[in-house]
């Protein structure tokens, strides 16, 4: 439909959905047996969760004209509620009072000697979101699904931030285009095996090249240097 309208094609990337992982694997790696979509195939599987599918895909659907105004407003409101609640947990601090430590003991959690944010408390494995909001109520009522989303985002925030950094690096590589007629044979330092694989697959970006079996980080660095030279020479 986008092609008929003369618009850019829809491409779901590896960090946006499992269908993006599937399409990228099949187009870059090929198959010698039936392909099965396992979560282990996705390097960003912490980011590709069921509870955040709306955050990942609704903006894409909106751009395509598939989400009406009422649904979009509801989506934006939900995102704002989640953001505000996570900020509240980050900015609200417990004081190491006797009352606080008695409460922590009831939760089978270690007492505190210094101030501790509610977010840091929630990251303790024995503490659940409901434990926190029963004592420190949220400013706005959240649905059960939204509460689970907040708990997941807070508990795994360290891992998610590292994965977001990886996603940004991937996007940078995906922005580096490789010409369709690029001659890999001119890069003498590339092994014969790597040249053959790149020539056979013909990746369209440096990011795609990075996911081809046998293409090493060293080979990617060499390819990146040559692409920069090519770009500089016009």
């Amino acid at each position: 439909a986008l092609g008929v309208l003369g618009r850019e094609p829809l491409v779901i990337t590896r960090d946006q959905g499992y269908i993006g992982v599937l399409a990228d694997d099949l187009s870059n790696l090929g198959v010698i047996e039936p392909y099965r979509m396992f979560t282990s195939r996705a390097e960003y599987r912490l980011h590709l969760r069921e509870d955040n599918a709306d955050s990942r895909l609704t903006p894409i659907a909106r751009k395509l004209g598939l989400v009406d105004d009422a649904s979009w407003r509801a989506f934006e409101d939900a995102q704002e509620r989640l953001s505000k609640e996570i900020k509240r947990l980050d900015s609200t601090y417990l004081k190491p009072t006797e009352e606080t430590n008695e409460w922590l003991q009831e939760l089978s959690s270690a007492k505190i000697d210094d101030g501790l944010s509610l977010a840091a408390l929630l990251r303790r494995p024995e503490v659940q979101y409901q434990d926190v909001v029963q004592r420190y109520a949220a400013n706005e009522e959240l649905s059960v699904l939204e509460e689970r989303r907040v708990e997941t985002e807070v508990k795994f925030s360290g891992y998610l931030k590292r994965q977001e950094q990886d996603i940004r690096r991937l996007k940078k590589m995906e922005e580096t285009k490789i010409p369709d007629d690029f001659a890999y044979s001119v890069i003498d330092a590339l092994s014969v095996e790597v040249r053959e694989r790149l020539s056979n697959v013909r990746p369209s970006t440096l990011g795609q090249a990075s996911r081809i079996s046998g293409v090493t980080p060293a080979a990617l660095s060499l390819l990146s240097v040559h692409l920069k030279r090519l770009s500089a020479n016009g």
Side-chain angles (χ1 to χ4, degrees):
L2 291 171
V4 169
L5 294 172
R7 294 166 60 184
E8 287 292 315
L10 169 63
V11 177
I12 302 295
T13 59
R14 295 181 74 90
D15 62 289
Q16 291 176 325
Y18 278 103
I19 193 170
V21 177
L22 180 148
D24 190 64
D25 281 354
L26 294 180
S27 60
N28 278 323
L29 306 180
V31 290
I32 56 173
E33 59 183 21
Y35 182 93
R36 296 173 180 84
M37 184 68 258
F38 299 118
T39 55
S40 58
R41 294 186 185 276
E43 61 271 48
Y44 306 124
R45 52 190 170 277
L46 281 180
H47 188 67
L48 301 179
R49 305 190 314 275
E50 182 180 351
D51 68 344
N52 70 354
D54 57 343
S55 297
R56 289 184 280 111
L57 301 174
T58 302
I60 297 173
R62 174 68 172 178
K63 287 181 181 178
L64 296 174
L66 302 175
V67 177
D68 60 34
D69 291 343
S71 298
W72 181 247
R73 282 195 297 272
F75 167 75
E76 290 187 312
D77 289 344
Q79 296 305 299
E80 188 174 358
R81 283 195 301 275
L82 291 168
S83 177
K84 283 182 177 179
E85 177 60 359
I86 291 173
K87 285 179 181 176
R88 182 186 77 90
L89 295 173
D90 276 326
S91 60
T92 304
Y93 276 77
L94 298 173
K95 293 181 179 179
T97 63
E98 184 177 346
E99 182 184 8
T100 296
N101 281 323
E102 285 178 358
W103 173 59
L104 292 176
Q105 191 173 12
E106 291 173 8
L107 298 177
S108 301
S109 192
K111 69 176 186 178
I112 57 174
D113 298 317
D114 298 304
L116 186 74
S117 71
L118 293 181
L121 176 65
L122 184 53
R123 282 193 279 273
R124 294 182 175 185
E126 70 277 3
V127 178
Q128 308 303 315
Y129 178 73
Q130 279 301 317
D131 298 326
V132 175
V133 292
Q134 282 174 10
R135 189 178 179 93
Y136 302 94
N139 296 326
E140 293 184 67
E141 186 175 351
L142 304 181
S143 69
V144 173
L145 291 177
E146 288 170 346
E147 288 181 351
R148 290 176 185 167
R149 170 82 181 274
V150 168
E151 183 162 0
T152 299
E153 294 282 349
V154 172
K155 279 192 176 293
F156 297 97
S157 60
Y159 298 103
L160 290 169
K161 284 175 183 175
R162 284 200 291 273
Q163 198 154 93
E164 284 166 8
Q165 291 173 348
D166 291 339
I167 290 170
R168 284 194 291 272
R169 281 196 292 270
L170 172 69
K171 286 187 182 298
K172 201 168 183 179
M173 294 178 73
E174 293 293 356
E175 290 170 1
T176 305
K177 303 293 184 184
I178 302 176
D180 293 336
D181 59 350
F182 186 80
Y184 296 100
S185 58
V186 302
I187 309 177
D188 295 331
L190 287 180
S191 69
V192 173
E193 180 187 4
V194 169
R195 282 189 226 169
E196 286 180 354
R197 296 197 178 197
L198 289 169
S199 298
N200 288 335
V201 175
R202 285 283 160 192
S204 59
T205 67
L206 198 59
Q208 286 184 3
S210 71
R211 296 187 291 277
I212 298 173
S213 177
V215 177
T216 64
L220 287 172
S221 296
L222 287 168
L223 182 54
S224 176
V225 168
H226 279 264
L227 290 171
K228 285 178 182 176
R229 287 178 186 168
L230 187 66
S231 177
N233 294 331

